[in-house]
Amino acid sequence: MAQPESGNHFEHTLDADEFRRVAYLAVDLAAEHLFGIRRRPVFEPMTPNERVELLQEPMPTDGIAPDAILEHLRTRVMPHPMGNGHPRFFGWVNSPPAMLAVATEIIAAAMNPSCAGGDHAAIYLERCAVRWLMELVGYPTDGSMGILVSGASMATLTAFAAARHRAAIRRGWSVRDDGLQSGHPPLVIYMSSEGHGCFRKAAELLGLGAASIRTIPVDDAFHIDVAALARAIAEDRAAARQPFCVAVSAGTVNTGAIDPLDEVADLCAREDIWMHVDGAYGAVGVLDPATAPRFRGLARADSLALDPHKWLSVPVECGCVFVREGATLRQAFSLVPPYLRTDEGKGFGGLPWYSEYGFQQTRGFRALKLWVTLANAGRGGIASIVSRHIRLARRLALILEAAPDFELLAPIELSIVCFRYVPDAIRDDEKKLNDLNQRLIENVQASGGAFVSGTTLRSRTALRACVLHYATSEDDIGALVEIVRRASVALAASIAS
Ligand SMILES: *Cc1c(COP(=O)(O)O)cnc(C)c1O
């Protein structure tokens, strides 16, 4: 970075004209990024030198002027995005940012509230945006509580903590008072082998231990096997353990499989077990009329995780957890220090603090970008994007299915397509197919023309394409197929030689 003359320093203020000038420059940089995206490769690895430069930049003693800082961002930082802004990026579950939310983020930063609680607009905007989200996916609002968090990992941790709290209370003890080390029968949690890794992380962090986490097998379409789940619960009961939570998925991260939610809800109701649904990616799939029936039972979940920073394109980070019994969530987390205590009916108006419903105290104004995105698209706008993405995924699947040297590895339930290349020469050699497809993923990524990620399904290496960009078109799907095909042919030739 350009060093200032010795003795220069800047504090945290700018005068009004200078603020406007600098902010407009930043807007120009953002616009250049957003609108120049199609002209750049989808992804370009950084050179070792570029990495080292960013890693080892020393902290300046004297401050650096705004223009030099913006220049540094323009030349050193902005040329190396993750790739998810590009309409031919199909990796993982990473969407592009909704443009209006990008433009208004400066307002959230300028207002800079802490949404721990209090009586200011950000709090009410969060209540409103979360209610909209509940209504969007058909989750009951009355008595429910929702809170914005970093993402579905934190949403899951929050939901499991509430589930653990309720399970103990129902059996006459308090996990907050006793912890998990006081000799109560062990609490057991259930998830399928396709459940997201954050289930396990959250369960471990909550002290359940690997011995209390059951992994239930899935059927041919990657749905949790409900009969096996029921058997596992019965076995644990017979051994005097306490089944307390079943975590299922409304759109798994691997294939977009939607577990049989209604059946699981029946089982959980019979067994008095908390049902958590991971709808981080897929919950909004319910807005596609043809897909909606698969989501039956979603509204019966005791808790639901939904990531607006996935399919809704709210800029990262924006996750959300809904809990059907809002009061239980509060009991699990509420701890009000004297300096925050407000007496109801005294002082300003105000709702119970968000810090009583989750682990965080100081919380950012995530609600602004969420509210802006939902308001701008409306229910109709969101539904049309979701339906379009599902349609594009089906189209991709049809093209691949029709090709003799490609094979789909999972049914298409939402906007994820898992497939692999199976050239005749090695069709019966799973090991060679896995190696080949792993190299194929890497070659497609390195091509800069499109980006897919990979996964493993029943020991098979799969290319995985998730359609999540508002600007992805049929042409982009066609281009993806072309790029994969070209890379496949090149690889097949290299095997043959
Ligand atoms: C992304 C994702 C998660 C994890 O959420 P984060 O926002 O990354 O914390 C969990 N489940 C599914 C299905 C996801 O797509």
Side-chain angles (χ1 to χ4, degrees), residues 136 284 287-289 377-388:
L136 194 64
V284 293
L287 293 167
D288 179 53
R379 190 183 177 92
I382 293 165
S384 91
I385 291 177
V386 165
S387 289
R388 190 163 76 237

Side-chain angles (χ1 to χ4, degrees), residues 154-402:
M154 193 47 109
T156 303
L157 183 68
T158 308
F160 287 3
R164 186 183 65 162
H165 185 78
R166 188 181 78 176
I169 293 292
R170 292 229 172 132
R171 288 162 184 86
W173 57 287
S174 162
V175 72
R176 292 188 63 170
D177 292 341
D178 301 0
L180 286 178
Q181 310 194 67
S182 50
H184 298 288
L187 298 168
V188 185
I189 189 166
Y190 305 81
M191 57 195 66
S192 89
S193 53
E194 289 292 302
H196 192 276
C198 71
F199 293 179
R200 181 164 296 271
K201 253 179 160 173
E204 287 176 4
L205 193 57
L206 288 168
L208 294 166
S212 298
I213 303 173
R214 300 275 173 274
T215 305
I216 308 298
V218 292
D219 66 16
D220 287 349
F222 302 100
H223 301 137
I224 191 167
D225 178 340
V226 181
L229 172 62
R231 280 196 302 277
I233 291 170
E235 276 164 29
D236 282 317
R237 286 223 195 276
R241 290 183 286 260
Q242 302 203 350
F244 84 103
C245 182
V246 171
V248 288
S249 307
T252 59
V253 70
N254 267 339
T255 71
I258 302 159
D259 284 322
L261 305 176
D262 214 31
E263 261 182 81
V264 172
D266 287 341
L267 177 62
C268 288
R270 265 199 315 279
E271 296 281 347
D272 187 25
I273 293 177
W274 184 287
M275 174 184 175
H276 173 74
V277 174
D278 178 8
Y281 149 63
V284 293
V286 73
L287 293 167
D288 179 53
T291 309
R294 287 188 186 277
F295 288 87
R296 198 190 333 259
L298 185 78
R300 299 171 66 193
D302 291 290
S303 54
L304 175 71
L306 191 166
D307 268 348
H309 66 209
K310 304 267 176 74
W311 217 337
L312 293 176
S313 271
V314 174
V316 168
E317 299 160 353
C318 190
C320 188
V321 59
F322 306 154
V323 173
R324 188 65 195 91
E325 294 167 11
T328 298
L329 183 62
R330 193 177 185 183
Q331 281 166 20
F333 283 99
S334 180
L335 192 149
V336 187
Y339 64 92
L340 292 181
R341 198 156 288 152
T342 48
D343 289 321
E344 214 157 324
K346 289 195 193 149
F348 300 114
L351 296 159
W353 282 44
Y354 276 113
S355 51
E356 289 190 60
Y357 291 90
F359 188 71
Q360 261 188 288
Q361 181 162 314
T362 301
R363 301 171 65 250
F365 194 179
R366 291 189 176 107
L368 188 132
K369 58 190 174 183
L370 172 61
W371 190 93
V372 161
T373 303
L374 296 177
N376 187 227
R379 190 183 177 92
I382 293 165
S384 91
I385 291 177
V386 165
S387 289
R388 190 163 76 237
H389 287 160
I390 293 176
R391 222 166 38 240
L392 287 171
R394 296 237 170 87
R395 183 178 172 76
L396 173 60
L398 278 177
I399 298 173
L400 294 167
E401 227 171 0

Side-chain angles (χ1 to χ4, degrees), residues 1-2 53-54 57 67-79:
M1 241 182 301
E53 268 181 1
L54 290 184
E57 181 80 48
D67 295 82
I69 288 185
L70 288 176
E71 186 57 12
H72 184 79
L73 299 181
R74 189 181 72 78
T75 56
R76 304 293 168 84
V77 177
M78 297 186 71

